């Protein structure tokens, strides 16, 4: 991880800034957690390598205990571990032709996992003085590279000649059918992103399903769930309770995503997903 010398900033030195400029923020995680709910942001993005959950609205207030912070709000909640936070940046990105400020937090490998987004620079204007108090130094090429890589929803299939896991297409097809069935029934789907730096859970009202390359999106009720399901290595369905649970995992068996069906009749697509996984496993072992 790169080293740098702190440099003081005041509100006059802070944004508006040229597009592409990155400002490192101080690693004062308690102060940042106190500030984040006060910002006039429009959305919060939680991200792991193959999953992204976008929740509209401001970042919610959390309670802190040591290096942990958490919140519970009905079916929605967060569990944050600041001991796994390593970098924080402020920058502007161009989306839909508009410059939109962002605050992003990354792990020790520079992988962004928590991002607060503004609709426009004017929405961010009231927050600049408060954010400037946490400004540390000008970002360098390392920061710009990691910010750029973290914010590209590419397929990643060809990068480094990455070979897709054999079960990936089966998992993607099963989850896509499940999403479509929930949309037809108008039922919400419980979602858990078990990512240690920032675990979050919510209920996504299933309203529409879209595909973009190897990404599948389920959207509704101010939430957007993006999955790169073709990169999932394993999946299992647990039906021992009234609410079936589907767990998608990486090559080491670590959970990447947990989906929880609501109470009520079991969706037909879950049984079909189980059969498809079983058939793939049997065929793969031959």
């Amino acid at each position: 991880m790169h080293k740098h010398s702190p440099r003081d900033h005041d509100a006059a030195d802070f944004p508006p800034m040229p597009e592409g400029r990155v400002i490192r923020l101080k690693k004062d995680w308690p102060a940042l957690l106190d500030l984040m709910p006060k910002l006039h942001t429009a959305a919060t993005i939680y991200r792991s390598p193959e999953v992204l959950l976008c929740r509209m609205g401001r970042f919610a207030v959390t309670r802190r205990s040591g290096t942990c912070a958490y919140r519970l709000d009905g079916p929605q909640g967060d569990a944050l571990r600041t001991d796994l936070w390593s970098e924080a940046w402020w920058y502007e990105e161009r989306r839909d032709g508009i410059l939109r400020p962002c605050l992003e937090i990354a792990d020790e490998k520079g992988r962004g996992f928590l991002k607060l987004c503004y609709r426009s620079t004017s929405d961010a204007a009231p927050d600049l003085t408060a954010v400037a108090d946490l400004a540390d130094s000008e970002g360098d090429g390392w920061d710009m590279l990691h910010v750029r890589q973290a914010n590209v929803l590419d397929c990643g299939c060809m990068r480094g000649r990455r070979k897709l896991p054999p079960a990936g297409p089966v998992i993607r097809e099963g989850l896509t059918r499940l999403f479509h069935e929930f949309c037809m029934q108008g039922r919400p789907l419980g979602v858990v992103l078990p990512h240690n730096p920032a675990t979050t859970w919510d209920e996504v009202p299933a309203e529409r399903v879209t595909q973009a390359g190897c990404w599948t999106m389920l959207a509704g009720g101010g939430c957007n769930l993006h999955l790169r399901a073709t990169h999932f290595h394993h999946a299992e369905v647990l039906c021992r309770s009234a609410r079936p649970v589907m767990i998608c995992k990486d090559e080491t068996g670590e959970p990447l995503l947990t989906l929880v069906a609501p109470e009520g009749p079991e969706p037909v697509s879950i049984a079909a997903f189980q059969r498809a996984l079983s058939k793939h496993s049997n065929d793969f072992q031959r």
Side-chain angles (χ1 to χ4, degrees):
M1 191 165 56
H2 64 288
K3 303 292 183 182
H4 56 82
S5 299
R7 181 165 61 87
D8 292 335
H9 287 259
D10 56 30
D13 296 323
F14 209 61
M17 62 171 69
E19 182 179 359
R21 181 183 172 199
V22 178
I23 297 295
R24 295 193 197 103
L25 302 181
K26 298 173 184 176
K27 300 178 184 181
D28 186 343
W29 307 132
L32 191 59
L33 279 171
D34 287 341
L35 175 64
M36 286 158 62
K38 302 173 184 176
L39 301 178
H40 295 78
T41 51
T44 301
I45 297 175
Y46 301 80
R47 179 169 40 213
S48 65
E50 317 298 353
V51 184
L52 182 153
L53 179 68
C54 177
R55 182 183 291 140
M56 304 306 294
R58 294 191 185 187
F59 186 79
V61 176
T62 58
R63 295 183 179 182
R64 293 200 309 274
S65 177
T67 59
C68 297
Y70 64 93
R71 73 178 182 93
L72 291 173
D73 184 11
Q76 186 184 103
D78 297 320
L80 313 175
R81 286 189 54 185
T82 58
D83 58 315
L84 298 177
W85 296 12
S86 183
E87 303 281 351
W89 301 296
W90 175 281
Y91 60 93
E92 291 183 347
E93 64 179 3
R94 187 172 295 277
R95 285 181 279 120
D96 302 324
I98 302 173
L99 279 177
R100 306 178 192 267
C102 302
L103 188 158
E104 185 157 3
I105 303 171
D107 62 19
E108 62 180 5
K109 294 183 179 180
R111 297 176 300 196
F113 58 82
L114 184 60
K115 177 179 176 182
L116 279 62
C117 307
Y118 289 88
R119 293 189 186 278
S120 66
T121 53
S122 59
D123 286 350
D127 301 335
L128 296 185
T129 300
V131 177
D133 290 339
L134 287 177
D136 182 45
S137 60
E138 186 84 19
D140 56 20
W142 185 94
D143 300 288
M144 296 178 188
L145 172 65
H146 283 274
V147 165
R148 187 177 300 115
Q149 286 182 339
N151 290 284
V152 176
L153 288 181
D154 68 338
C155 286
C157 304
M158 299 302 295
R159 189 170 58 245
R161 296 182 179 179
R162 182 178 183 181
K163 185 178 179 180
L164 295 179
V170 177
I171 297 172
R172 175 180 178 175
E173 182 178 356
L175 294 181
T176 302
R177 288 182 176 180
L178 178 72
F179 292 166
H180 279 294
E181 182 175 357
F182 273 75
C183 285
M184 291 178 63
Q185 296 176 352
R187 302 169 68 190
L189 185 63
V191 175
V192 182
L193 269 66
H195 192 49
N196 268 336
T199 293
T200 190
W201 55 93
D202 207 337
E203 275 192 349
V204 179
E207 296 175 2
R208 64 185 183 276
V209 182
T210 56
Q211 302 277 170
C214 57
W215 288 90
T216 303
M217 184 183 78
L218 175 68
C223 281
N224 295 298
L225 175 66
H226 299 258
L227 310 177
R228 192 156 56 177
T230 50
H231 290 57
F232 293 166
H233 285 253
H234 311 283
E236 62 177 322
V237 180
L238 306 177
C239 296
R240 292 190 290 268
S241 66
R243 303 183 64 178
V245 175
M246 291 137 286
I247 305 174
C248 302
K249 304 177 181 181
D250 64 13
E251 64 273 20
T252 68
E254 284 295 314
L256 295 169
L257 173 71
T258 299
L259 301 173
V260 184
E263 294 182 353
E266 180 178 313
V268 174
S269 52
I270 290 184
F273 189 24
Q274 281 183 299
R275 292 193 297 270
L277 290 172
S278 178
K279 182 179 184 301
H280 169 78
S281 179
N282 292 335
D283 292 345
F284 188 72
Q285 292 175 4
R286 290 176 183 174

